Amino acid sequence: MTTYSVKAPQSLSGVVKLPTSKSISNRLLILSALSGSQALPDGLSDSDDTRVLIDALRSDLSHIDIGAAGTSMRFLTAYLATRPGTHVITGSERMKKRPIALLVDALRSLGAKIDYLGEQGCPPLRIEGGSLRGGRLTLPGSVSSQYISALMMIAPMLEGGLSLTLEGNVVSVPYIEMTRRLMETFGARVTWADGVVTVEQGPYTYRQLTVEADWSAASYWYAMAALRPGAQLRLLGLDKESAQGDSEGAKIAEHLGVGTTYEADGITITSSGRAEDGVFSYCFVNQPDLAQTYVVLCCLMGVPFDFTGLQSLRIKETDRIAALVAETRKLGFEIEAVGDDRIKWNGAKCQASHEPIATYKDHRMAMSFAVAALTQDEVTIADPDVVTKSYPGFWHDLRSVGFSVDEIL
């Protein structure tokens, strides 16, 4: 297995062209396909997740392997249920353990024919696609927003449309709102009020859109800036009025001394190096993909924290809560997992082993821990190529601003 040694420059400045958003890219691909268009949106993400979705939508294969792409698995399951023909959709060994029963049950209630080919409630799936009826569905608001978005996007294709009631607290609200906004751009009639998403039946009309830069990717640069007082970085392609929930990262970073200036072609971030006093408390229920970045960053800055809203982290590419507890110990920090939705740290430390950071086939583990190079002589990252899932150019971009990134094994 390849391992990288990462060493940081003394000062940090430069211009970075961020990758485009895979969340937006993947939604636009499904909406484009449902509109009947063969065109592709401009500026699609070059991530693994987006590339496997393009391949699946453009191929005539009856057997589709989406690897570790969770978004693609969920979106394609709903999409294929509305398309004529029989398909088998499978993925990596981890994917075969990730739950999908709530989405399958919902689609079955609309008339879909879906069978499990392995463990019940998980991929692989056999899907016999065809016309589905609409109606009323109820789902817990606490389920993955990807289930909800998958159902929303196919809803205009359903006879009579769809009324989807979300019970209880709704998590990852920005991702559902992103789906709604993009659907409306393609001509769908969608309302979301009092916990009910209502989508009318009707055709999509293709619109040629350009995908904006990825605010999730920006979080690693915010972390680097926070750790290097005086840092000044320009991040191209970010939009202040973004539909991405992770754009909230600009406000989160203010607590840790990083300011943001919005410009026509992106942003400039600068760091004072001074975090706010006291325990940093934040609920990441609407920005779960930023949690790893801020757990690692706060440890490195010596900022005690209490982070909640992390329930979705257990079922990501890996159990991200367990992975964070294990890997921060290698850097000398003893963080505590509380239940399935909370991580806290009171400043406790342990003997650092400085072993290579295990990435668990999880892109965000690699990138969030790479920033530790700014506080240590070096940090070593095992299986660094996992970054291709969302940010293929990450290591290149680090080198472009002065980091040393070398293969050691």
Side-chain angles (χ1 to χ4, degrees):
M1 179 184 295
T2 300
T3 299
Y4 278 175
S5 166
V6 184
K7 299 178 182 179
Q10 290 300 310
S11 59
L12 187 59
S13 63
V15 180
V16 179
K17 183 180 180 181
L18 293 172
T20 53
S21 166
K22 70 182 180 73
S23 297
I24 294 176
S25 293
N26 291 353
R27 284 163 173 78
L28 287 179
L29 283 170
I30 294 294
L31 294 173
S32 298
L34 288 168
S35 75
S37 175
Q38 295 296 312
L40 292 177
D42 293 329
L44 283 173
S45 168
D46 189 36
S47 66
D48 290 346
D49 283 20
T50 298
R51 287 190 285 104
V52 298
L53 185 53
I54 294 171
D55 290 345
L57 291 170
R58 292 204 149 188
S59 75
D60 57 2
L61 298 176
S62 60
H63 189 281
I64 299 169
D65 187 341
I66 54 76
T71 306
S72 300
M73 171 61 74
R74 289 152 180 174
F75 288 1
L76 278 171
T77 296
Y79 171 79
L80 292 173
T82 70
R83 303 289 96 181
T86 299
H87 295 85
V88 171
I89 182 169
T90 188
S92 65
E93 289 306 307
R94 171 66 178 173
M95 184 60 64
K96 293 174 183 177
K97 300 294 184 182
R98 295 180 71 176
I100 200 168
L102 277 171
L103 178 58
V104 170
D105 289 347
L107 290 167
R108 283 173 171 173
S109 74
L110 301 173
K113 298 178 181 179
I114 304 176
D115 296 313
Y116 296 111
L117 299 182
E119 182 177 332
Q120 289 295 298
C122 301
L125 307 172
R126 180 191 291 114
I127 304 170
E128 295 182 33
S131 298
L132 303 182
R133 60 180 177 271
R136 298 179 181 275
L137 285 177
T138 299
L139 289 178
S142 59
V143 303
S144 169
S145 64
Q146 293 173 9
Y147 297 155
I148 297 166
S149 291
L151 291 166
M152 288 173 63
M153 287 190 288
I154 66 166
M157 307 291 105
L158 306 180
E159 182 181 345
L162 183 66
S163 175
L164 180 58
T165 299
L166 305 177
E167 291 186 326
N169 293 327
V170 181
V171 303
S172 299
V173 169
Y175 288 99
I176 302 172
E177 178 63 16
M178 175 193 294
T179 303
R180 185 191 68 80
R181 287 172 58 174
L182 293 174
M183 288 174 63
E184 288 184 338
T185 300
F186 277 68
R189 295 181 293 277
V190 188
T191 60
W192 183 12
D194 300 323
V196 180
V197 180
T198 303
V199 185
E200 297 181 26
Q201 180 181 358
Y204 282 115
T205 300
Y206 179 75
R207 290 284 306 278
Q208 188 69 28
L209 300 178
T210 300
V211 183
E212 64 185 68
D214 184 23
W215 272 100
S216 305
S219 72
Y220 311 112
W221 297 97
Y222 273 97
M224 287 182 256
L227 292 168
R228 189 64 89 227
Q232 183 167 343
L233 294 165
R234 290 192 67 223
L235 307 180
L236 302 180
L238 296 173
D239 187 347
K240 184 176 183 179
E241 304 303 324
S242 174
Q244 299 175 64
D246 286 356
S247 63
E248 191 70 14
K251 294 181 180 178
I252 300 172
E254 290 176 2
H255 298 280
L256 301 174
V258 183
T260 304
T261 302
Y262 293 90
E263 298 154 348
D265 60 349
I267 64 173
T268 296
I269 58 177
T270 55
S271 172
S272 68
R274 296 189 298 273
E276 294 179 356
D277 293 334
V279 175
F280 181 19
S281 297
Y282 191 79
C283 177
F284 282 94
V285 71
N286 288 329
Q287 297 88 25
D289 286 341
L290 301 188
Q292 288 151 290
T293 305
Y294 283 95
V295 165
V296 176
L297 174 58
C298 286
C299 287
L300 297 173
M301 294 186 73
V303 176
F305 61 83
D306 188 352
F307 294 156
T308 57
L310 307 178
Q311 51 266 46
S312 67
L313 269 61
R314 292 285 192 191
I315 59 169
K316 294 287 189 177
E317 285 81 350
T318 185
D319 179 340
R320 287 178 170 174
I321 292 178
L324 282 167
V325 171
E327 300 310 307
T328 51
R329 286 188 62 84
K330 294 178 180 178
L331 300 179
F333 306 106
E334 288 190 338
I335 66 175
E336 179 183 358
V338 183
D340 285 333
D341 68 343
R342 183 180 177 194
I343 301 176
K344 63 180 183 178
W345 184 56
N346 63 7
K349 296 185 178 181
C350 60
Q351 181 66 41
S353 69
H354 301 295
E355 298 172 85
I357 299 298
T359 49
Y360 305 84
K361 301 187 184 300
D362 184 345
H363 53 135
R364 301 203 187 281
M365 289 296 292
M367 293 184 284
S368 59
F369 277 87
V371 304
L374 287 151
T375 64
Q376 305 187 31
D377 290 339
E378 71 170 346
V379 64
T380 50
I381 307 291
D383 195 16
D385 289 342
V386 292
V387 300
T388 60
K389 182 173 175 62
S390 66
Y391 193 164
F394 179 72
W395 303 115
H396 171 272
D397 288 349
L398 284 191
R399 293 184 179 104
S400 75
V401 296
F403 281 79
S404 170
V405 182
D406 298 307
E407 185 175 336
I408 58 174
L409 290 175

